[in-house]
Amino acid sequence: MKTILGTGQLGLAIMQLLLDKNPNENILLINRTGKLNISIPQNVQVTAADVTSKTDMVTIARKSDLIFSCTDMPYDKWVAFYPATSTALAHALSQTNAKLVFADNLYPYGNVMGIEMNEQMPHSAKTKKGKIRAGVINTLLYSADDFNNRVAILKAADFIGPRIHKGIFGKDFLDNVYNEKTVRLFGNIDLPHTFTYINDFAAVMINVGIANDAFGQIWHVPNGPALSFDQWLHLFEMVTNKKIKKTVTPKFVIRIAGLFNSFIRELYEMAYQFEYPYLVIHDKYLNRFGNHFTFPSDIVNETVEWYLSMQKNK
């Protein structure tokens, strides 16, 4: 059985692609409540479990041939959540024969000052969140345990696409666009910045998961061309037929706001991502699986279609 930990945008995208490939695929979805607010076929189960619990993860792993880990938490909960999750998953893998594909990000590399990021870069981040994510990789992939060769780490950039609510170009952004409110950005909006299309990430998770030679290593998700924020805004203007009003918030304002808001305080730590070009190389994946990614214009079209459909069905 294929198991998906987390029923957010990535977990549900993986589920849908698996069902597109095989409508009869037996899939186990794991979240904290055991409930889902969308309809699913009978061959998909939803079960409540705690991903930080060794006992729960052993139980889940015993049912699973392949586990996709797509869990997430607000930034201020990372310090407790991710070390506990990686420890529980490592224990479960050590007790079973399950394989794990773990969704990761680029934070462990730290501030590379515009250098193109590749899989051979050291995880030398100095930020709190970068160190936490690096610790997860050390636990799952570099612990010198036998299960390490049954783990694949997939790294993505910032998400873009349908079902994203809080991302830079998510639902909140489109709410502002369609209500003709000002969109607030920060950093240098003229620099190229890599984004990962959520459905491309899901496809890569599956492709790596079913390839026996892809484990025991790190992979970068293939991404479309890196565009500046201004270029992305132009694409959204063309598709929505709206003139987007924007303002760039100075970094010092974000720092002051962080004194009163824990989320903004955590966000400030990652401001370096928007002070240099943010570029990712995916040649390793290209050479093994081929180059498939969604172009920015298609991403914007699909994102706006999703948003308008959601608004229509309110």
Side-chain angles (χ1 to χ4, degrees):
M1 179 177 285
K2 293 181 175 65
T3 296
I4 302 171
L5 306 181
T7 54
Q9 60 263 35
L10 179 58
L12 293 181
I14 293 172
M15 177 197 73
Q16 190 57 58
L17 287 180
L18 287 172
L19 292 174
D20 289 345
K21 291 174 180 291
N22 177 10
N24 298 314
E25 182 82 65
N26 289 317
I27 301 171
L28 177 61
L29 300 177
I30 303 297
N31 61 23
R32 291 185 293 275
T33 65
K35 299 177 181 179
L36 206 58
N37 60 1
I38 62 172
S39 60
I40 53 176
Q42 290 185 343
N43 48 300
V44 179
Q45 305 172 46
V46 185
T47 299
D50 179 0
V51 297
T52 68
S53 164
K54 291 182 179 180
T55 301
D56 282 7
M57 287 302 97
V58 168
T59 300
I60 295 302
R62 284 176 177 159
K63 301 177 182 178
S64 310
D65 300 310
L66 178 61
I67 300 171
F68 299 102
S69 178
C70 314
T71 57
D72 197 11
M73 275 284 175
Y75 281 152
D76 58 355
K77 295 184 178 1
W78 277 27
V79 68
F81 178 77
Y82 275 114
T85 298
S86 58
T87 298
L89 286 172
H91 178 71
L93 292 173
S94 72
Q95 301 299 307
T96 66
N97 293 317
K99 294 180 178 180
L100 174 68
V101 180
F102 190 91
D104 191 33
N105 58 33
L106 304 168
Y107 293 3
Y109 296 139
N111 184 2
V112 299
M113 298 184 179
I115 296 173
E116 292 180 307
M117 288 172 272
N118 62 65
E119 294 91 340
Q120 286 71 49
M121 280 186 164
H123 295 145
S124 54
K126 295 180 173 58
T127 61
K128 179 175 71 175
K129 288 182 285 298
K131 290 178 180 178
I132 290 170
R133 299 298 292 230
V136 169
I137 296 171
N138 288 337
T139 298
L140 295 174
L141 192 61
Y142 298 138
S143 61
D145 288 296
D146 290 342
F147 65 77
N148 295 155
N149 63 7
R150 287 184 276 120
V151 175
I153 306 289
L154 270 64
K155 289 182 173 291
D158 297 315
F159 288 174
I160 191 170
R163 297 185 300 277
I164 294 171
H165 289 255
K166 297 299 182 182
I168 294 171
F169 297 117
K171 176 186 175 296
D172 292 351
F173 162 79
L174 286 168
D175 281 342
N176 287 334
V177 171
Y178 277 96
N179 290 310
E180 299 183 352
K181 295 182 178 180
T182 299
V183 171
R184 297 188 179 277
L185 303 170
F186 56 93
N188 187 336
I189 65 173
D190 295 319
L191 295 175
H193 190 97
T194 299
F195 282 88
T196 294
Y197 181 50
I198 192 70
N199 289 342
D200 289 342
F201 196 4
V204 172
M205 294 280 284
I206 294 170
N207 288 343
V208 168
I210 62 177
N212 290 329
D213 63 339
F215 288 84
Q217 53 193 302
I218 293 172
W219 299 87
H220 281 179
V221 176
N223 303 293
L227 305 181
S228 70
F229 281 6
D230 254 356
Q231 289 173 313
W232 280 109
L233 291 180
H234 178 65
L235 288 176
F236 275 102
E237 286 180 333
M238 292 176 62
V239 174
T240 62
N241 199 29
K242 296 282 187 179
K243 180 63 178 177
I244 298 176
K245 296 181 289 187
K246 66 178 185 290
T247 184
V248 180
T249 303
K251 186 177 179 180
F252 78 88
V253 173
I254 298 173
R255 184 169 188 176
I256 293 172
L259 298 174
F260 309 97
N261 184 296
S262 61
F263 174 77
I264 295 176
R265 183 165 59 250
E266 295 289 349
L267 190 64
Y268 178 82
E269 182 186 56
M270 311 310 297
Y272 68 82
Q273 296 177 97
F274 308 98
E275 296 171 342
Y276 302 90
Y278 204 63
L279 307 172
V280 186
I281 295 174
H282 61 262
D283 289 356
K284 176 180 175 180
Y285 183 90
L286 183 156
N287 292 332
R288 170 58 181 85
F289 295 96
N291 201 14
H292 58 267
F293 58 79
T294 304
F295 283 95
S297 57
D298 294 326
I299 291 173
V300 172
N301 273 305
E302 292 179 24
T303 302
V304 172
E305 285 178 8
W306 161 77
Y307 175 82
L308 294 176
S309 173
M310 183 177 58
Q311 296 302 106
K312 183 179 179 180
N313 295 326
K314 271 188 174 181

